[in-house]
Each structure stands twice: as C-alpha cells, then as structure tokens.
Amino acid sequence: MANQEFEFTAAQNQTIQLLSNRMKWVGGFEVVSGIVLGIAAITAFARGREGFALTLTAVLLVVTGLYTYSASRGFSKIVQTIGADITHLMEAVTSLKSLYNIQFWLIIAYLIIIGIVLLITLFGALFGPQTYG
C-alpha cells in the first residue's frame, strides 16, 4: 500500500502559518538576544570581569533560537507545498523534538546542580565551623 499524503484545509493551513510565523519571530529574537549577550560576555571578559554566565546564556539562546527557527520552516512548508503535508509536519515535529530534548536535559542538569548546591549549603550550615558573635 502506497503512502498517501494528507492535505490540511485552508483554515488549518492558516493556523499552521500563524504558528510558523510566531516561531520564526521567537527563534529570531532568541538568536539576536544570544548574539547581544555574547557581545556583552566578550565585553565583560575584556574588562576583567566574569562573563561565564553570560556566555552560557548566549550559547543557549542561539541554539534554542536556531532549533525553533528550523522547526518553523517545516511548518511553513506545509502551507507552501501540496502533496507533502505529513512529510513536512514530521520534519517540523522532529526539529521540535530535538529542541525539547535539549531543554529537557538542560533542566535535568540544572536541577542536579541546584540539588548539589543545596546539599553543600545544608552540610556547611550543619557541620561547618560555628561562629558566635
């Protein structure tokens, strides 16, 4: 049995196009914000200040922005082409899956780091040197 493609209706295409446009805007904003933060990080390093957090945030914004923009192109192709809606939908969903996989693991890493910091703080408060004033 041959693969048959599904075609979305005009109203569905309009919704998909709006989603694609919003995703392009958000992705572009994230990339530009990441570049601006990257410049701020370079400036901080040049002035002898710590810019690691700015650098990390800049990289994360650029990466998530590029993935978001990539997914938006898949959604846009659904509206622009005929006969390949499901194929383009799956391309867009695959890009979104990659984006959310990155965000999922970043959240896990963040929670682990927060947990370690809380444990260190707790042990320091319980077993650290006691000062009385």
Side-chain angles (χ1 to χ4, degrees), residues 48-119:
R49 295 188 181 132
E50 181 62 42
F52 178 74
L54 285 175
T55 304
L56 182 61
T57 304
V59 169
L60 292 175
L61 278 171
V62 169
V63 169
T64 58
L66 290 173
Y67 272 103
T68 301
Y69 193 85
S70 174
S72 78
R73 287 184 306 190
F75 285 112
S76 189
K77 286 180 189 177
I78 293 169
V79 177
Q80 296 169 353
T81 62
I82 296 173
D85 282 0
I86 298 300
T87 300
H88 294 311
L89 177 63
M90 290 313 298
E91 288 173 13
V93 169
T94 299
S95 290
L96 282 176
K97 183 184 77 140
S98 297
L99 171 63
Y100 281 94
N101 277 338
I102 290 168
Q103 290 179 334
F104 172 82
W105 288 111
L106 287 172
I107 290 169
I108 296 298
Y110 173 78
L111 291 173
I112 290 170
I113 291 168
I114 292 298
I116 291 169
V117 169
L118 288 174
L119 285 174

Side-chain angles (χ1 to χ4, degrees), residues 28-38 57-58 61-62:
F29 182 81
E30 287 180 325
V31 169
V32 169
S33 296
I35 291 169
V36 169
L37 280 179
T57 304
L61 278 171
V62 169

